[in-house]
Amino acid sequence: MTNSLSKNLIYQRKLKGLTQKELSDRTNITVRTIQRIEKGETEPHLQTVKLLAVAMDIDVDTLLPLNNPREEDIQKKWLLLLHATPFLGSVIPLFNILAPVFIWIHKREDNKIYDIHGRKVLNFQLTMTLVFLFALSGMMFIGHLIMQGTPLMIFLFFGVLIYTFIVMCVNIYLVIKDRKCYYPLSIPFLSIKRKAKNKMATIVLIVSSFFFSCSSHAQTVSRLDGSQITVDSLDRKIKQLMTDAKVTGMAITIFNDGKSVYSKAHGYRNKKESLILTDSSNIYGASLSKAVFSVIAMKLVEEGFIDLDTPLESYLDKKIYEYVPQTRWHDDYSNLKNDTLYHKITARMCLAHTSGFPNWRFFLPDQKLKVTQEPGEGYLYSGEGMVYLQVVLEKLTGKGFEELASEIIFEPLQMTNSSYEFKPSFEKSMAYGHNKDEQPYQKDKDNEPRAPSTLETTLEDYTKFMTAVFQRKLISENSWQEIFKPQVRIRTLKQFGPLSKQTGSYNDDIKLSYGLGWGIFFTPYGKAAFKEGHGSGFIHHSVIFPEAGKGILIMTNSENGNSIFKELLEATLKDTYTPWEWENYIPFEQKASN
């Protein structure tokens, strides 16, 4: 089938005068995938073939002739479902119509035989249902008026049931034998020749759409530019990207009007053991921790423990380096004894990454903590800065950071599977980070609570947090405005690596900045706020557009995760504004060509 499909695709594409790039633009299928199909290197999903056929305005059969036993067997199974599911109507009212309707709508474009059989099944079931209801009403009402008519109505009532049962059984036999069907005495509500204005078809579609919307919460997702994408298309796009880029697992939530309209997990939490990722799987949050910490810090500012612009050391009874460390390493400030700059650092600087501390002390040549640039002078991403703020807050409140996070965030939002320390209860559902070859890393389970980096959470829980952000819960409106106010402009060429030392005007058009715990940029749809995370084989990205009510949360357990973020943001939100090069979100196709 693969060779036949590849030849047909090449022939039809050239016949239509399309390049691979033009066909990719029409279908949202990557050029690389089209190339692999045309070379016969992969056997695409039927829905992918359908997208290609629609884009070229041809029938699916033109690309994918049914010419092997496996496909014929699959076809026979779908036909059996069409003809057998009406038996559900004997248990659940009207499911003799609704069940085949769902199958017909799903499969009718894949092959003409599904469309023809589906219409015949529905015509018969609609006819028999009307006759059945007529007989039933006759038994209930006419019999009261004309007693002599009651036996006739009873005969008609049971006659319809017996006749329907026999015809359905006969057609199941015909389908098994040679994929044919025959339903006598059917009213042609749905003509075998398709009519766009067929009223009954419209009614059926409306009813089925209602049931589909109930089961999946939203059949379409609205994007920034007002366009929409269907949930089915999203599922296909996500699976295609994950397969092509070798992304082991991904949990994703999309927001419309500040509410979740799509929230699913795909792939594996441990590929080696074939363990499936779910929305309740424990996922290491990495630097998504910082977004949560910004809310905790602002809550404590509201309660008067600190001010954003007062040097943190001034709140303490003694110098920070004079305290005896209570953890393995992160509250050991003994190396600051001779530092002349750290005493200038404020809470605002810590949250906006202008403290002057490095990202982590162990990235320095001597692995000794020190301030590497003037506090408040410019952007320098720093986990150490947030840890410093955390330690001061713990000393001022007399509470550990896990206790503060539980009181301010986890308990109010009912984030029951989230913590800044790994708990034994996470064992049964934990996701493992995977390297670029999709081999799992060993799970780090002994982290002490650190505000910028040790969050353990789930898709379900972090979706609750982002919903609270959209709805401005937990802290005051003034505090939210402070979080999302640009505190420092960013002009570095990259966020990390050698180019993070060089500056330019590349992101001036979006006014790339940092707020308090969140990155900020500006778009035609208003201000956007983002937070990402990376560590131990997990790579995440989140971005919200508060004025548009749109947003997305992407959590992956793969070192290849960021290679699909650019395309995923464009497909799900039409977000072409996120500074993907600065973030180093290099698409997997571009990596492969380098």
Side-chain angles (χ1 to χ4, degrees):
M1 183 183 73
T2 302
N3 290 335
S4 176
L5 172 61
S6 63
K7 292 177 182 178
N8 289 345
L9 177 57
I10 294 170
Y11 173 77
Q12 291 295 333
R13 178 174 60 77
K14 291 182 177 180
L15 186 65
K16 298 293 182 179
L18 298 173
T19 65
Q20 291 175 335
K21 179 65 168 61
E22 289 170 334
L23 185 57
S24 172
D25 292 339
R26 290 189 181 190
T27 58
N28 274 337
I29 299 171
T30 64
V31 173
R32 185 186 179 196
T33 299
I34 293 173
Q35 291 172 343
R36 291 176 64 199
I37 295 173
E38 291 190 350
K39 291 178 181 178
E41 295 176 353
T42 184
E43 184 171 321
H45 190 279
L46 190 56
Q47 293 296 337
T48 302
V49 179
K50 177 181 173 182
L51 288 173
L52 293 167
V54 170
M56 294 187 288
D57 196 25
I58 58 177
D59 288 335
V60 174
D61 289 348
T62 306
L63 285 179
L64 189 64
L66 222 83
N67 59 2
N68 70 53
R70 182 175 179 272
E71 289 295 328
E72 292 178 0
D73 186 53
I74 292 172
Q75 186 185 82
K76 186 178 292 184
K77 290 178 180 178
W78 279 111
L79 289 176
L80 275 173
L81 280 173
L82 261 176
H83 292 274
T85 50
F87 281 107
L88 291 172
S90 61
V91 180
I92 307 173
L94 295 182
F95 260 62
N96 61 311
I97 298 172
L98 294 177
V101 157
F102 296 156
I103 298 171
W104 175 60
I105 289 174
H106 178 63
K107 300 296 294 181
R108 62 178 179 164
E109 298 294 337
D110 292 350
N111 193 298
K112 290 180 181 178
I113 194 171
Y114 298 137
D115 186 41
I116 293 172
H117 278 242
R119 289 170 183 266
K120 288 182 177 181
V121 169
L122 290 171
N123 285 336
F124 178 74
Q125 293 299 330
L126 286 166
T127 302
M128 292 301 104
T129 299
L130 289 175
V131 176
F132 174 82
L133 293 174
F134 172 75
L136 183 62
S137 63
M139 290 173 58
M140 294 175 61
F141 302 109
I142 298 176
H144 289 295
L145 301 175
I146 309 173
M147 294 300 296
Q148 296 88 342
T150 302
L152 177 62
M153 290 300 172
I154 293 175
F155 175 78
L156 181 61
F157 177 82
F158 286 103
V160 169
L161 293 178
I162 295 171
Y163 174 76
T164 302
F165 180 81
I166 292 173
V167 171
M168 288 165 62
C169 290
V170 169
N171 276 281
I172 289 174
Y173 169 76
L174 292 175
V175 166
I176 294 173
K177 184 179 180 184
D178 52 15
R179 299 198 298 278
K180 292 182 179 180
C181 66
Y182 177 62
Y183 286 95
L185 303 181
S186 299
I187 300 173
F189 296 103
L190 301 171
S191 173
I192 302 302
K193 294 180 179 180
R194 301 180 188 181
K195 296 180 180 180
K197 295 183 179 180
N198 189 305
K199 293 182 179 180
M200 183 55 67
T202 302
I203 294 172
V204 170
L205 286 172
I206 291 173
V207 172
S208 61
S209 296
F210 170 77
F211 276 89
F212 275 130
S213 66
C214 290
S215 62
S216 63
H217 301 294
Q219 280 299 292
T220 59
V221 171
S222 178
R223 301 184 283 195
L224 287 169
D225 63 355
S227 64
Q228 295 187 330
I229 183 170
T230 65
V231 167
D232 286 344
S233 295
L234 269 178
D235 287 339
R236 290 193 295 271
K237 185 66 175 178
I238 289 169
K239 291 174 183 176
Q240 169 230 318
L241 287 172
M242 291 178 66
T243 299
D244 290 348
K246 294 184 178 179
V247 176
T248 308
M250 180 166 66
I252 178 171
T253 296
I254 303 173
F255 299 86
N256 282 178
D257 298 321
K259 299 177 182 177
S260 168
V261 293
Y262 179 98
S263 192
K264 290 186 180 180
H266 304 266
Y268 298 95
R269 60 184 176 91
N270 185 329
K271 187 167 185 178
K272 185 177 181 180
E273 297 183 12
S274 298
L275 300 177
I276 301 299
L277 186 71
T278 71
D279 64 353
S280 59
S281 295
N282 165 253
I283 297 174
Y284 170 53
S287 286
L288 290 180
S289 309
K290 294 178 175 70
V292 178
F293 180 47
S294 69
V295 180
I296 296 171
M298 289 307 296
K299 184 66 173 179
L300 295 174
V301 168
E302 289 180 2
E303 293 178 358
F305 284 99
I306 57 170
D307 179 84
L308 284 174
D309 298 307
T310 299
L312 291 173
E313 191 179 61
S314 66
Y315 292 105
L316 302 177
D317 297 331
K318 52 187 175 181
K319 301 295 184 182
I320 190 68
Y321 54 78
E322 293 177 346
Y323 286 91
V324 176
Q326 302 298 308
T327 67
R328 294 193 308 275
W329 64 269
H330 73 249
D331 66 341
D332 182 355
Y333 292 103
S334 57
N335 290 317
L336 294 180
K337 185 174 183 178
N338 297 317
D339 193 289
T340 61
L341 296 175
Y342 85 90
H343 66 276
K344 299 180 181 180
I345 296 172
T346 66
R348 187 186 301 276
M349 295 174 190
C350 293
L351 293 171
H353 296 291
T354 62
S355 67
F357 278 132
N359 192 5
W360 297 110
R361 64 189 72 186
F362 39 80
F363 290 165
L364 297 177
D366 59 3
Q367 298 190 3
K368 294 180 179 181
L369 182 62
K370 57 178 170 286
V371 179
T372 59
Q373 69 178 35
E374 181 71 27
E377 283 294 302
Y379 173 80
L380 179 63
Y381 193 87
S382 175
E384 290 283 2
M386 290 199 178
V387 169
Y388 178 46
L389 175 57
Q390 167 198 337
V391 171
V392 172
L393 290 173
E394 288 177 320
K395 294 185 184 306
L396 294 178
T397 61
K399 297 177 179 179
F401 185 69
E402 176 66 17
E403 184 179 356
L404 290 171
S406 295
E407 289 180 359
I408 297 172
I409 304 291
F410 303 147
E411 292 175 6
L413 296 181
Q414 297 183 341
M415 294 171 63
T416 56
N417 293 306
S418 294
S419 173
Y420 274 87
E421 58 188 7
F422 190 87
K423 297 181 180 296
S425 59
F426 297 159
E427 289 267 4
K428 61 182 180 182
S429 64
M430 67 183 181
Y432 289 79
H434 291 73
N435 64 22
K436 292 183 178 181
D437 296 321
E438 297 195 86
Q439 297 300 310
Y441 289 116
Q442 183 176 351
K443 175 68 177 178
D444 182 4
K445 303 176 185 178
D446 61 349
N447 276 339
E448 294 169 315
R450 284 187 287 278
S453 60
T454 64
L455 178 67
E456 299 282 347
T457 189
T458 66
L459 175 67
E460 184 179 26
D461 271 10
Y462 206 84
T463 296
K464 292 178 182 178
F465 171 71
M466 288 190 64
T467 302
V469 174
F470 268 112
Q471 297 174 358
R472 297 293 202 266
K473 292 183 177 180
L474 301 172
I475 54 178
S476 69
E477 178 61 27
N478 286 339
S479 292
W480 282 117
Q481 290 180 10
E482 196 67 51
I483 284 176
F484 295 131
K485 182 173 73 176
Q487 308 287 331
V488 57
R489 280 293 298 275
I490 300 174
R491 291 189 168 88
T492 58
L493 299 183
K494 293 278 188 178
Q495 185 175 23
F496 300 112
L499 292 180
S500 67
K501 307 295 183 183
Q502 300 180 29
T503 59
S505 60
Y506 189 77
N507 289 308
D508 280 359
D509 56 334
I510 60 171
K511 299 178 183 177
L512 182 61
S513 309
Y514 227 88
L516 301 181
W518 297 69
I520 305 293
F521 60 93
F522 291 83
T523 78
Y525 306 101
K527 185 189 300 181
F530 66 94
K531 191 69 205 81
E532 62 284 89
H534 186 185
S536 303
F538 293 86
I539 303 183
H540 314 314
H541 185 81
S542 63
V543 61
I544 63 172
F545 297 80
E547 295 172 42
K550 304 291 192 296
I552 191 169
L553 166 64
I554 310 167
M555 307 176 80
T556 76
N557 63 337
S558 167
E559 290 288 357
N560 297 320
N562 59 357
S563 71
I564 65 174
F565 285 176
K566 177 181 180 291
E567 190 166 352
L568 196 57
L569 289 169
E570 292 177 3
T572 55
L573 291 181
K574 289 294 183 182
D575 172 14
T576 58
Y577 309 98
T578 286
W580 60 272
E581 289 181 297
W582 182 79
E583 295 270 21
N584 202 37
Y585 293 166
I586 308 303
F588 65 93
E589 292 173 324
Q590 190 171 328
K591 286 182 178 180
S593 63
N594 291 337

